[in-house]
Amino acid sequence: MSLPGPETLELKTSEDVVRARQRVRVCMKDQGFGLVDQTKMVTATSELARNAVDYGLGGTMRIESLEEMGRIGIRLVFLDHGPGIPDIDLALTDGYTSGHGLGLGLGGSKRLVNEFEIWSKPDEGTRVTITRWR
Amino acid sequence: MTKSTSRLNDILEKNEKEILDDWMREQLASGTLRKDLITESELRKQSAELLGLIINATRSGNVTEISGTEWKPVLDFLAATSKTRAAQGFSPVETATFIFSMKQPIFTRLKKEAGSNASVLADEIWVATVLTDKLGLFTAETYQKSREEIIRRQQMELLELSTPVIRIWEGILVLPLIGTLDSSRTQIVMETLLQNIVDTNSGIAIIDITGVPAVDTLVAQHLIKTVSAARLMGAQCIISGIRPQIAQTMVHLGVAFGDVVTKASLADALKYAFRQSGITVT
Ligand SMILES: Nc1ncnc2c1ncn2[C@@H]1O[C@H](COP(=O)(O)OP(=O)(O)OP(=O)(O)O)[C@@H](O)[C@H]1O
Ligand SMILES: [Mg+2]
């Protein structure tokens, strides 16, 4: 089976967040993921894309289909060049928000996926990579 | 083209009536005139007013720089006209033709006035072309902006339309949420519900999320806020239609609706609401 090539979506506005969500939903479906997996990944997309828009001054989402050792997966990379996260552990703490959110987006996303990797540097930006395997 | 050399103002002023007559003829013959949307006398009034404003503006000697203050009345008029035309349903071509059909009548007069002096004629035609093109483009642009504005407004209206609050029984409201909830839509929907609770003096509001594909922290936060606001107003909210995949996702995400009553289906929520209100359904 041939995998679709990676693509990158712009994340600037809340409409872009909706678009990113819809794109992930379609990709998950195409790769044969079930409804629960789809919903989890779409929800994580919503959180990380909105963080990039709200805190990261906008960014991009790269979406990539994977096949490793017979496993099918979807990997998403959220990248922004915003202010970065000064304390990643604190940001991952449930209930912590520097804005007016519930403070559950980052930690929640981590729990919704199989692999979660975060890189951030003050004044350079933030990159969150998530992967879900079928 | 320096300011002082163009005779455009002179020529327009001297031939105002003839140009207007020709221009009207052009517009009536153009085939893009919407006789169903505008009457001939209205069109004549608009055309006469615009021509008058253009003559006024050219009197300053600035005949092509429409960003100058002397052109403000002309631009204001064009902006207002293209806005109404956009609202009335004129097409972009129909709207732009209003301006561009002015070219030929002006050229004809220029030709007459310039006589045999070809270089003067060429210069004047150039000036008139630059001017009408700029005015035409300005008109097309404001038309476009107005259309976008109209579409945006219709989308907003559609949002409100597509999320009706249903009064299912005396004192019981149902809000069926459908589709992707982005933050602006969620906001409107929730405000509508709260307003309806006040207007109908309802004690119970059921928010049904069967039609929502994903509940993220933002949607959850909106729901929680609405429930709290309703509570302050003396109404109880019930959230129904939390499907299995959404329930699982919410657990991982860590959002909890606290002590809010949640029901698997709208039917269950209705039964509960009826019981709460002391209504027996047989
Ligand atoms: N891309 C980013 N750039 C900079 N700071 C970020 C970024 N993403 C998250 N943060 C910081 O981490 C905090 C926690 O993020 P998290 O998504 O968990 O919660 P939140 O966005 O505040 O609320 P919500 O529950 O609605 O997502 C944010 O308040 C913000 O300070
Ligand atoms: Mg967040």
Side-chain angles (χ1 to χ4, degrees), chain A residues 71-90:
Chain A
R71 287 193 306 177
I72 296 282
I74 297 263
R75 177 165 295 156
L76 306 175
V77 183
F78 298 85
L79 176 68
D80 68 62
H81 300 287
I85 304 175
D87 185 340
I88 292 181
D89 286 337
L90 180 63

Side-chain angles (χ1 to χ4, degrees), chain A residues 47 51 55 105-106, chain B residues 217:
Chain A
E47 298 303 334
N51 280 354
Y55 304 110
L106 270 184
Chain B
T217 57

